[in-house]
Each structure stands twice: as C-alpha cells, then as structure tokens.
C-alpha cells in the first residue's frame, strides 16, 4: 500500500558522505524547502508550511550538520559550496531534472545562489521573508534594529555574554530568540516557534550549528564585497519574492531582490512579520501554489 500524499515520508538519505534527514509530503511539482538560521533545521517551518502540500510535493531537509543531519559532521566540512552541492546531490538522488526552490530567511540566499549556479535545473524560485543579499544591507538592517529596539538588543547582548548561552543551553537560547523575534512574531505563535527551532538539537549540536553559521557568514555577509543583486540580473527564471509587510528585514531589501531579477515579482503579505507562512498560511499557500503551477 502506498502512503497518502498527505502523510509525511521521513528518512535519512546518504548525500556526499553525510546522512541528510529528508521529509517529503504532498504531490505535484517538486518544491525543495531551504530553512533559515542558518543554524536551525527545517522544524520551525512546520506544520504551517505543509499547507502547500495540497498542490505541491514538498521536500524539506535538515542542512548538513544541523538538526537530524548533525551526526558525524564537522563544522569545518561545511561551506557555502558544500551547501549548494548537497542540494544538487539530493535533487539528483530523487531523480528530478528540475525543481522549484523555496528559501526562507537565510535559506533564500541559498536558493538564489543555487539558481545562479544551476539555472537549467530550477523551474521556479520562491524567496520568503528573505534575508538581505548584500553585506551593506545587513549593516544597515542591524543599525535599524539598534535604533528601533535598543533595549531588546542590549538584553540580547547580555544573554549572549553568559556561560549558559555560550554552552548552547536551549532555555537560555530561547530567551535570546524571544527578544530577537519579539518585534516580528505575534505572542500567540512565539512559544511554539521557539520549541520547534531547537526540538532536534542538544547543547553540543547547538554549538556545532553556530560554528557552521560562522563559516557561512564568513562566506557571505562578513565579506565587504558580498552582493548578489548584480548577478541576479542574469537569472532568467520565474521568481516570487514574498515578504511580510512588518518584517524586521526591511521591505526595501525584498524590493531590491525582485527588481534585480528579470522575471521577479514582489508580493507583500499583509500584516505579517518574518514568518509570513505562520501568520497567514492560506494566503502564502495560494500565492506559492498559483505561482508554481501557472
């Protein structure tokens, strides 16, 4: 008996020497989902994003060294190149010639980087609540945060300086992220979101994931010359840029991505912050499925 398309299929897949945890659900056009962080796993996207499974085949996976893809992975083995190679190897393993890529937050950078390297293998690009695509925009965004939420930022710095945070203590981290996401996540969603972000981590794997994040930051945002926008002008692939109206990543950053893409289209999700799929899942599902299946 074959499983229902709405029943998740979960397994580990051997990809380039690592056991990647993969979760598939739904049927229809294949959409690979790239989680953000980049020190989280895909769990924080659930169950809200599964609403897309009504009309799409969703392929989630924990990126190498994070969540249930952590065992046996050293931080020094993870690079921006390895992230993109893992995605392509997983596509090939599943026997798919072309895929849509959907990236949330920092995952949007990975989706765009992958599409730039392999445009012939990408049918559609969806960037959702995208992180900035240049180091200059990141600096400006953080200055904005300091201006608008100085007390929260000071409290976060104080938490980050504690031995408990340094050790990867899950509860201490939750206090940190409660402040970080406070301006952009409604209170009634916060507890569940924080639980899902670290549901499959231990203090040890939190520390390892942070080390991976540092390496990816060195390859992107910490490079003074990092800016994807000029390269996006040559990406002739249909692209949907979904962004929350009150996202703490400025709407101008999303506009810059959409304007740089020859076939890019910006769609603002009313009244939502950095997790638009969580606040308005039906709205997000309609926009994404209409775009992928057009």
């Amino acid at each position: 008996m074959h499983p229902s398309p709405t029943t998740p299929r979960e397994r580990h897949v051997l990809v380039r020497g690592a056991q990647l945890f993969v979760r598939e659900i739904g049927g229809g056009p294949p959409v690979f989902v790239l989680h953000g962080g980049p020190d989280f796993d895909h769990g924080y996207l659930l169950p809200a994003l599964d609403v897309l499974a009504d009309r799409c085949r969703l392929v989630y996976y924990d990126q190498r060294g994070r969540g249930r893809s952590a065992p046996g992975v050293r931080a020094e083995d993870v690079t921006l190149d390895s992230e993109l190679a893992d995605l392509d190897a997983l596509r090939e393993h599943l026997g798919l010639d072309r895929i849509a890529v959907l990236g949330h937050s920092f995952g949007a950078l990975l989706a765009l980087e992958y599409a730039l390297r392999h445009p012939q293998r990408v049918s559609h690009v969806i960037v959702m609540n995208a992180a900035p695509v240049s180091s200059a925009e990141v600096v400006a965004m953080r200055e904005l945060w300091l201006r608008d939420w100085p007390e929260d930022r000071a409290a976060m710095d104080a938490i980050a300086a504690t031995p408990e945070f340094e050790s990867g203590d899950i509860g201490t981290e939750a206090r940190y992220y409660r402040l970080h996401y406070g301006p952009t996540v409604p209170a009634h969603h916060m507890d569940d979101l924080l639980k899902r972000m670290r549901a499959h981590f231990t203090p040890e794997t939190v520390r390892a994931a942070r080390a991976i994040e540092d390496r990816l930051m060195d390859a992107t945002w910490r490079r003074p010359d990092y800016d994807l926008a000029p390269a996006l002008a040559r990406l002739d692939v249909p692209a949907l840029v979904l962004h929350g109206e009150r996202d703490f990543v400025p709407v101008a950053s999303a506009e810059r991505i959409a304007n740089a893409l020859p076939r890019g289209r910006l769609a603002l999700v009313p009244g939502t912050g950095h997790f638009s799929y969580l606040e308005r899942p039906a709205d997000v599902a309609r926009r994404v499925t209409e775009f992928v299946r057009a």
Side-chain angles (χ1 to χ4, degrees):
M1 180 180 296
H2 294 291
S4 164
T6 57
T7 301
R9 289 89 69 191
E10 299 181 344
R11 65 198 187 280
H12 280 89
V13 174
L14 181 62
V15 171
R16 302 176 53 254
Q19 293 282 347
L20 297 187
F21 181 79
V22 178
R23 178 183 184 272
E24 293 187 67
I25 187 170
V31 178
F32 279 49
V33 182
L34 305 176
H35 64 75
D39 60 331
F40 300 139
D41 64 12
H42 82 273
Y44 75 88
L45 297 164
L46 305 177
L49 201 60
D50 273 357
V51 70
L52 297 176
D54 286 345
R55 300 188 68 190
C56 299
R57 174 187 174 185
L58 299 178
V59 181
Y60 301 92
Y61 68 101
D62 292 350
Q63 292 155 22
R64 179 182 296 248
R66 281 139 289 177
R68 283 171 280 184
S69 299
V73 175
R74 302 177 305 168
E76 55 265 35
D77 294 334
V78 181
T79 64
L80 180 59
D81 286 344
S82 77
E83 296 280 85
L84 304 178
D86 282 350
L87 171 55
D88 198 51
L90 182 57
R91 173 201 60 79
E92 187 174 9
H93 175 87
L94 295 179
L96 298 168
D97 293 329
R98 299 177 77 216
I99 59 174
V101 286
L102 185 159
H104 176 257
S105 194
F106 191 85
L109 270 72
L110 296 181
L112 292 168
E113 289 270 15
Y114 179 78
L116 284 168
R117 299 189 190 199
H118 304 292
Q120 74 282 7
R121 299 170 192 169
V122 174
S123 63
H124 301 78
V125 176
I126 306 106
V127 294
M128 184 185 300
N129 305 111
V133 295
S134 74
S135 56
E137 288 174 291
V138 172
V139 170
M141 178 181 69
R142 289 174 175 165
E143 289 175 350
L144 188 68
W145 292 351
L146 286 171
R147 186 197 72 189
D148 291 347
W149 304 293
E151 293 181 358
D152 287 351
R153 293 291 140 179
M156 288 169 57
D157 288 345
I159 293 171
T162 64
E164 292 81 6
F165 184 87
E166 183 69 23
S167 73
D169 179 73
I170 305 294
T172 304
E173 249 214 354
R175 289 170 47 220
Y176 177 93
Y177 282 114
R178 187 178 296 276
L179 291 165
H180 180 55
Y181 292 124
T184 194
V185 176
H188 62 281
H189 286 303
M190 183 69 80
D191 286 344
D192 187 57
L193 179 66
L194 293 175
K195 288 176 184 176
R196 290 183 175 278
M197 281 180 168
R198 291 304 192 201
H200 301 289
F201 286 81
T202 65
E204 180 182 7
T205 58
V206 165
R207 296 195 302 272
R210 288 178 187 166
I212 291 171
E213 180 179 53
D214 280 340
R215 292 177 59 79
L216 295 175
M217 293 297 102
D218 287 343
T220 55
W221 288 352
R222 290 180 187 148
R223 279 177 38 204
D225 63 339
Y226 184 75
D227 188 356
L228 270 188
L232 296 180
R234 67 172 187 268
L235 183 58
D236 190 23
V237 172
L240 177 64
V241 181
L242 279 173
H243 209 71
E245 276 188 334
R246 56 179 185 82
D247 198 321
F248 63 1
V249 178
V251 171
S253 290
E255 290 175 339
R256 186 164 183 258
I257 296 171
N259 291 338
L261 291 159
R263 299 169 71 183
R265 175 164 58 89
L266 176 65
L268 294 180
V269 186
T272 65
H274 193 59
F275 300 87
S276 295
Y277 68 90
L278 188 64
E279 297 184 70
R280 298 193 63 169
D283 190 2
V284 168
R286 176 184 58 79
R287 293 170 188 258
V288 172
T289 56
E290 286 179 357
F291 172 68
V292 171
R293 298 181 69 98

